[in-house]
Amino acid sequence: MALPLPPPGPDHYAARRARWITTAPHHPPIDTHPSHSRLHRLLSTPDTHTDHIWHRGVDQVWNAFGKGNKLKHPLPMSLVIKVVHAAWRRDPETWPEDAVVPDSDDPPDNNPSTEPP
């Protein structure tokens, strides 16, 4: 059974996020399929949102997500996130062309606290 969460607020969010990104020990890793290696190579470049990369198979995975279709081979969450990120970057309403991706979700150490005074 999971440990209780803090009350709603920043600590609650941080606890939920930590649980979500932590791999459960009882889940075996997904077997890698050759298509995973190809998709990983495509999505490991900085230009994943360009037509050159998108139309080499990333679009097919994204369209399967959008239609609710079952994939032939389950994808590791790390690849799912990269596909979603590439799709967001292709949409100018979701991701403006000059937007910069932060290295981390964690606030920089030099930022003032986000807690109310």
Side-chain angles (χ1 to χ4, degrees), residues 18-58:
R19 285 185 189 178
W20 188 74
I21 64 174
T22 303
T23 303
H26 63 280
H27 292 291
I30 295 175
D31 290 334
T32 57
H33 187 269
S35 63
H36 293 177
S37 298
R38 183 174 178 275
L39 192 58
H40 180 72
R41 278 194 313 277
L42 287 171
L43 294 171
S44 293
T45 63
D47 58 346
T48 58
H49 62 291
T50 62
D51 285 346
H52 173 72
I53 300 295
W54 186 254
H55 294 299
R56 295 176 80 188
V58 180

Side-chain angles (χ1 to χ4, degrees), residues 29-113:
I30 295 175
D31 290 334
T32 57
H33 187 269
S35 63
H36 293 177
S37 298
R38 183 174 178 275
L39 192 58
H40 180 72
R41 278 194 313 277
L42 287 171
L43 294 171
S44 293
T45 63
D47 58 346
T48 58
H49 62 291
T50 62
D51 285 346
H52 173 72
I53 300 295
W54 186 254
H55 294 299
R56 295 176 80 188
V58 180
D59 60 336
Q60 293 172 355
V61 176
W62 175 248
N63 290 333
F65 290 167
K67 293 177 183 174
N69 294 344
K70 184 177 179 180
L71 299 174
K72 292 178 185 175
H73 308 282
L75 284 178
M77 183 58 76
S78 60
L79 283 179
V80 170
I81 291 169
K82 288 181 179 191
V83 169
V84 171
H85 183 244
W88 285 354
R89 288 195 62 199
R90 287 183 62 78
D91 180 4
E93 291 183 24
T94 303
W95 200 283
E97 190 171 337
D98 58 350
V100 177
V101 181
D103 290 335
S104 171
D105 287 344
D106 299 328
D109 292 334
N110 60 355
N111 277 359
S113 174

